[in-house]
Amino acid sequence: MPLLEVRDLTVHYRLGPARVHAADRVSFTLDRGQTLGLVGESGCGKTTVGYALLRVLPENGVIAGGQVHLDGSDLLALDAEAMRRVRWRRLSMIFQGAMNALNPVLRVGDLLEEILQTHEPVSREEARARVAEQFEQVGLPRARTHSYPHEMSGGQRQRAVKAKSHLGRPDLIIADEPTTAFDVILQDQILVQLQEIQKRLGLALILISHDMSVIAETCDHVAVMYGGRIVEYGTVDEIFARPRHPYTIAMLSSFPSLYGPARELLALPGVPPDLTAPPVGCAFAPRCPLAEERCHAEAPAPLTLDGDETHWSRCHFAREVKVSALAREAAGAES
């Protein structure tokens, strides 16, 4: 049994009389100790999926369907109190806005001690010692437990949120853009620490990002999202070596390589789809260089690739030569 099994997760946001279809029948599994990368441009639904798993959607967010099983337990069937006991103990999250994830009127150490005592029968002294230990593990001095969030730098706040996420030794951590707004040196430090924590605790990790280079460095499997849906799924080697969706190819071609000759980066025309009125066919069709009439009229079903059910793509042409040719052309190779 996988640690996490998500089946047809569907999330809407109420926007007056309209509904924003932020996540549409999202499905994936994750085993203990593995890392899954949820990748896509802003607005594709990846953060919504993370919030839905933790059930911390904003007030206008509605889980409209699907199942989320964590170690066999259906999280969507739990009442509010039972779900509260799961958060931070079995399932936790590193939020993108570190300042917003900390209480501005509480010292950071006091906040983490309160969380720990809520979920475990520990004394105040034990909680204080655990929190100080967690601070050291993420590279923060113990004295920083006495600081308020505004007294810490952005990097320090991010480390404190990271300490908060694994304080209760959860089975799964969701990391939402944990390296955003940091320089490459600090980004590397954050990723290395996440991997060390993951290895030490044996936990699973969902890494939400728009940066394919971060995904390549850290993940075992990759789910590429566009327009609220997963459009391609596979191991990190399959996605990077043999992409089979035009959007995946575009993402891989949108950042420079350290190897090979200089080449022009690919820029997509158009804009993402309006999710208050999702298109009938493929959501990527209006921006896709391979789109045909069929793409605008019929939504593609997942097609498995290379005889391997772990790699699939929602593209009518995923098994055809022209997708491979597009990937070679985007990489600057001869078609």
Side-chain angles (χ1 to χ4, degrees):
M1 178 184 297
L3 172 66
L4 179 70
E5 186 173 12
V6 179
R7 286 286 175 262
D8 296 325
L9 178 64
T10 301
V11 181
H12 298 164
Y13 290 113
R14 295 186 297 268
L15 194 63
R19 295 289 184 272
V20 179
H21 299 258
D24 183 15
R25 289 169 287 173
V26 171
S27 299
F28 60 85
T29 61
L30 184 63
D31 291 333
R32 295 180 186 277
Q34 286 190 334
T35 302
L36 170 69
L38 276 181
V39 63
E41 62 190 318
S42 297
C44 71
K46 54 189 186 296
T47 295
T48 290
V49 170
Y51 284 1
L53 298 181
L54 206 64
R55 284 179 53 186
V56 291
L57 290 164
E59 289 185 1
N60 66 332
V62 177
I63 298 177
Q67 296 179 325
V68 177
H69 287 94
L70 179 66
D71 210 11
S73 175
D74 187 359
L75 299 185
L76 303 187
L78 299 180
D79 61 30
E81 177 59 27
M83 189 64 203
R84 189 183 68 84
R85 292 195 295 269
V86 169
R87 292 191 200 101
W88 308 116
R89 186 66 187 89
R90 302 289 312 279
L91 173 66
S92 67
M93 189 168 190
I94 301 173
F95 293 94
Q96 182 176 358
M99 191 67 177
N100 297 329
L102 300 171
N103 191 324
V105 299
L106 287 181
R107 289 184 174 88
V108 178
D110 292 340
L111 173 63
L112 270 62
E113 290 167 22
E114 180 182 335
I115 292 172
L116 188 57
Q117 288 187 291
T118 298
H119 292 279
E120 295 186 28
V122 295
S123 67
R124 184 67 181 270
E125 291 72 22
E126 289 174 307
R128 184 175 293 116
R130 281 267 296 274
V131 170
E133 179 185 355
Q134 294 301 314
F135 266 47
E136 286 189 338
Q137 290 182 0
V138 298
L140 286 174
R142 287 177 175 250
R144 276 301 181 187
T145 60
H146 304 293
S147 298
Y148 289 95
H150 70 271
E151 296 176 320
M152 305 171 76
S153 69
Q156 289 173 332
R157 289 195 295 266
Q158 187 72 3
R159 291 172 189 266
V161 171
K162 191 192 307 178
K164 175 184 174 184
S165 72
H166 61 82
L167 185 64
R169 301 186 180 98
D171 300 307
L172 169 64
I173 291 179
I174 304 166
D176 186 11
E177 303 276 9
T179 61
T180 296
F182 298 126
D183 61 70
V184 292
I185 295 176
L186 187 53
Q187 285 182 20
D188 184 67
Q189 292 175 355
I190 290 172
L191 293 174
V192 168
Q193 284 183 348
L194 270 176
Q195 291 173 311
E196 289 175 348
I197 291 167
Q198 181 182 19
K199 184 177 181 180
R200 183 173 67 252
L201 300 181
L203 53 83
L205 178 67
I206 295 177
L207 181 61
I208 298 171
S209 181
H210 63 273
D211 190 332
M212 293 296 281
S213 59
V214 168
I215 296 296
E217 184 178 349
T218 57
C219 296
D220 301 302
H221 291 81
V222 183
V224 181
M225 292 194 68
Y226 185 83
R229 306 195 78 179
I230 295 178
V231 296
E232 185 168 6
Y233 180 91
T235 66
V236 68
D237 291 336
E238 289 166 339
I239 294 295
F240 280 81
R242 298 184 301 279
R244 287 298 181 270
H245 194 283
Y247 179 66
T248 307
I249 295 169
M251 288 205 68
L252 291 172
S253 304
S254 65
F255 63 93
S257 173
L258 297 176
Y259 309 98
R263 59 180 175 82
E264 184 177 352
L265 300 182
L266 180 64
L268 284 174
V271 295
D274 178 4
L275 295 182
T276 61
V280 175
C282 175
F284 188 59
R287 308 174 73 185
C288 181
L290 303 181
E292 297 180 0
E293 184 177 348
R294 175 188 180 189
C295 302
H296 296 276
E298 179 185 343
L303 293 177
T304 57
L305 303 164
D306 306 322
D308 185 356
E309 292 186 0
T310 64
H311 187 195
W312 54 263
S313 169
R314 290 184 184 273
C315 177
H316 292 304
F317 315 116
R319 295 172 180 165
E320 297 186 14
V321 173
K322 59 181 176 180
V323 173
S324 302
L326 179 65
R328 290 196 299 270
E329 180 183 354
E334 293 183 0
S335 59

